[in-house]
């Protein structure tokens, strides 16, 4: 997610400072080089040594700290960042950023930075709700700064309410969105399906498949990063966390997914059908648990609706539809047949037999089929692949 990227993390004096140390790790795990700037009050909670040890870089606190690497350090750091994140952000730094005050290392660096900025407030509810803070946040939004709303819960002061630092995984997603500068899906509504479907056999058993939902969830994440104004994720049962900012529509069976897709389709510009929809369901669902008995069990299966084909038939002019094809043989020929038969604009074909492709893993190997030909993409992360697919799909939108 952050390979080759530099994240400048500004840390201010909130009790949530300890979570910023964890956030550094989350960024690094995803490939980022992290530089930390702290305010003096942040250092009262956690010492700079913690962040220096984690990042391997000197932590900047004082503007006039003599430093032989960079002469004007606040400008040097401001130029290095691909994204500037302030987490946790106090009411004080938010007010300074809104007014353009530069009276310490962090406020000077953030004022000098031209890269995208993200602010994650963490403070007492009263301070957060104060009209001055709310006005300052509005001002920052107007400057194009992304704000990750704090969560609701028990605060350090004992109050219950809004003010705790957003979840770290949401911060990671929001950082990725903020850092992605090109927004070819700006203003668009995207619907993504993901995960397996489950078809009940009786009250305790079901028929399903090995899909983990990962490809579809990364698709939704990438769509938000590429600027989509709304991403609806229609998902069968998975163990995955919803990407930050997504509208989740949980479903279980193929027929539930069918209704959800057909309901969401009229408002969508782009539909991405990454779900592994079960092709068959038991002809009847037993009311009570089927007892083992003496012999074996034969189950009659009937066909499920083909949601992709239905969506293609129901679509309005201008809507773009991307389907997937997972094959174990004759990848391109089978995928081309699906493209033509179902009427999709693009089929993302992946072979289960290829190394680095398939269920659950972090990477995928895919070929993109459209009316104009086949493009084989190299092995890449499912997130990077999602970006590639969505950029091409965005190019097909009118
Ligand atoms: N799909 C769907 N509804 C189904 C089955 C599949 O919408 N009942 C969609 C999938 O979401 C995917 C595409 O169709 O985008 C292809 O899925 P795949 O399982 O590869 O193909 P099938 O249509 O099931 O065809 P086959 O069984 O012949 O491989």
């Amino acid at each position: 997610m952050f390979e080759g990227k530099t994240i400048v993390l500004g840390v201010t004096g909130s009790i949530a400072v300890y979570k910023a140390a964890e956030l550094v790790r989350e960024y690094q795990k995803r490939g980022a080089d992290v530089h930390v700037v702290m305010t003096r009050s942040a250092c009262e909670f956690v010492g700079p040594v913690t962040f220096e040890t984690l990042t391997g870089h000197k932590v900047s606190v004082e503007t006039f700290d003599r430093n032989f690497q960079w002469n004007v350090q606040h400008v040097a750091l401001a130029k290095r960042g691909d994204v500037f994140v302030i987490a946790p952000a106090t009411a004080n730094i938010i007010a300074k950023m809104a007014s353009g005050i530069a009276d310490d290392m962090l406020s000077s660096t953030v004022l000098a930075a031209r890269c995208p900025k993200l602010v994650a407030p963490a403070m007492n509810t009263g301070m957060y709700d104060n009209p001055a803070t709310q006005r300052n946040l509005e001002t920052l939004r107007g400057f194009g700064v992304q704000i990750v709303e704090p969560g609701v819960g028990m605060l350090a002061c004992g109050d219950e309410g809004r003010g705790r630092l957003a979840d770290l995984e949401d911060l990671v997603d929001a950082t990725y969105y903020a850092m992605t500068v090109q927004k070819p899906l700006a203003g668009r509504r995207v619907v993504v399906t993901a995960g397996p479907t489950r078809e009940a056999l009786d009250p305790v058993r079901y028929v399903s498949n090995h899909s983990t939902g990962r490809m579809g969830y990364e698709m939704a994440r990438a769509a938000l990063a590429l600027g989509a104004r709304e991403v609806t994720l229609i998902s069968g049962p998975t163990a995955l966390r919803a990407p930050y900012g997504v509208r989740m529509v949980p479903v279980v069976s193929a027929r539930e997914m069918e209704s959800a897709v057909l309901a969401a389709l009229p408002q969508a510009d782009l539909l991405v059908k990454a779900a592994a929809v079960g092709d068959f369901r038991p002809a009847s669902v037993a009311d009570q648990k089927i007892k083992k008995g003496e012999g074996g069990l034969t189950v009659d299966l009937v066909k499920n609706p083909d949601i992709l084909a239905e969506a293609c038939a129901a679509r309005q002019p201008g809507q773009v539809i991307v389907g997937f094809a997972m094959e174990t043989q004759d990848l391109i020929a089978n995928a081309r047949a699906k493209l033509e038969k179902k009427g999709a604009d693009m089929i993302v074909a992946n072979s289960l037999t290829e190394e680095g492709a398939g269920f659950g893993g972090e990477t995928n190997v895919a070929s993109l089929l459209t009316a104009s030909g086949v493009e084989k993409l190299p092995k890449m992360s499912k997130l990077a692949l999602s970006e590639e697919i969505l950029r091409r799909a965005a190019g097909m939108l009118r």
Side-chain angles (χ1 to χ4, degrees):
M1 186 181 260
F2 300 129
E3 287 78 16
K5 302 289 181 188
T6 300
I7 298 175
V8 182
L9 178 63
V11 179
T12 67
S14 145
I15 179 62
V17 170
Y18 74 95
K19 295 185 188 167
E22 194 88 20
L23 183 59
V24 169
R25 274 281 179 254
E26 294 298 325
Y27 286 148
Q28 287 173 330
K29 266 197 259 170
R30 293 166 178 81
D33 182 24
V34 186
H35 288 259
V36 173
V37 187
M38 296 176 78
T39 59
R40 261 175 236 127
S41 34
C43 298
E44 301 286 331
F45 291 93
V46 174
V49 176
T50 301
F51 289 97
E52 288 180 345
T53 312
L54 288 174
T55 62
H57 301 298
K58 182 167 167 32
V59 167
S60 309
V61 181
E62 306 292 344
T63 318
F64 296 104
D65 189 9
R66 291 200 61 205
N67 182 298
F68 296 95
Q69 264 182 316
W70 293 320
N71 277 341
V72 190
Q73 188 168 0
H74 69 274
V75 177
L77 252 186
K79 280 188 182 154
R80 280 187 74 141
D82 291 294
V83 62
F84 205 127
V85 181
I86 319 276
T90 55
N92 192 39
I93 188 71
I94 291 166
K96 285 194 206 176
M97 285 175 73
S99 326
I101 293 173
D103 64 352
D104 63 3
M105 187 66 185
L106 177 59
S107 51
S108 308
T109 312
V110 79
L111 191 66
R114 293 177 197 273
C115 62
K117 291 170 194 161
L118 184 78
V119 164
M123 65 193 77
N124 160 273
T125 309
M127 296 170 86
Y128 186 71
D129 289 341
N130 190 295
T133 305
Q134 287 304 316
R135 181 203 58 199
N136 291 334
L137 286 169
E138 241 354 89
T139 303
L140 292 187
R141 284 193 186 94
F143 294 163
V145 175
Q146 300 292 312
I147 312 292
V148 186
E149 298 283 341
V152 176
M154 182 71 155
L155 304 175
C157 51
D159 283 1
E160 183 87 28
R162 187 165 291 282
R164 57 185 291 185
L165 184 69
D167 284 349
L168 298 187
E169 279 160 323
D170 286 344
L171 282 177
V172 167
D173 280 347
T175 303
Y176 163 57
Y177 303 162
M179 195 180 64
T180 309
V181 182
Q182 303 278 325
K183 305 283 185 195
L185 287 175
R188 303 296 192 170
R189 289 196 166 88
V190 180
V191 175
V192 180
T193 70
T197 57
R198 274 184 194 168
E199 308 297 340
L201 186 58
D202 70 11
V204 296
R205 304 181 180 94
Y206 58 80
V207 180
S208 190
N209 58 60
H210 291 298
S211 168
T212 61
R214 197 150 174 181
M215 189 69 224
Y217 278 60
E218 296 292 53
M219 274 286 173
R221 200 166 263 129
L224 284 159
L226 296 183
R229 70 192 272 205
E230 186 180 84
V231 177
T232 303
L233 180 55
I234 301 171
S235 173
T238 74
L240 302 174
R241 189 185 60 89
Y244 173 66
V246 89
R247 192 170 81 87
M248 283 300 293
V249 180
V251 296
V252 177
S253 67
R255 284 183 296 172
E256 279 175 38
M257 186 172 279
E258 176 194 28
S259 321
V261 169
L262 294 179
L265 185 63
Q267 299 84 43
D269 296 296
L270 171 63
L271 170 66
V272 181
K273 285 238 59 228
V277 184
D279 289 327
F280 302 97
R281 65 174 184 277
S284 62
V285 182
D287 290 340
Q288 307 296 331
K289 184 181 170 198
I290 299 168
K291 294 310 234 177
K292 153 157 97 264
E294 292 304 316
L297 174 69
T298 303
V299 179
D300 272 333
L301 299 175
V302 295
K303 238 186 177 161
N304 266 329
D306 189 316
I307 306 169
L308 177 59
E310 280 183 10
C312 290
R315 77 160 119 185
Q316 269 133 57
Q319 290 182 315
V320 170
I321 300 186
V322 176
F324 277 68
M326 182 170 264
E327 307 291 345
T328 53
Q329 57 187 355
D330 300 331
L331 177 70
I332 301 299
N334 279 326
R336 173 139 320 273
K338 280 176 196 169
L339 181 76
E340 281 157 15
K341 191 161 140 237
K342 302 197 188 199
D345 299 285
M346 187 195 295
I347 291 283
V348 180
N350 42 160
S351 165
L352 254 190
T353 53
E354 191 143 12
E355 193 260 314
F359 291 124
E362 210 233 318
T363 59
N364 207 347
V365 189
S367 297
L368 310 187
L369 285 86
T370 59
S372 52
V374 187
E375 186 185 359
K376 168 134 199 197
L377 297 176
K379 177 166 123 180
M380 59 181 92
S381 73
K382 287 183 175 170
L383 186 63
L385 176 62
S386 300
E387 284 190 29
E388 294 296 328
I389 294 165
L390 290 172
R391 281 205 194 91
R392 285 164 181 75
M396 296 173 140
L397 287 164
R398 273 194 293 200

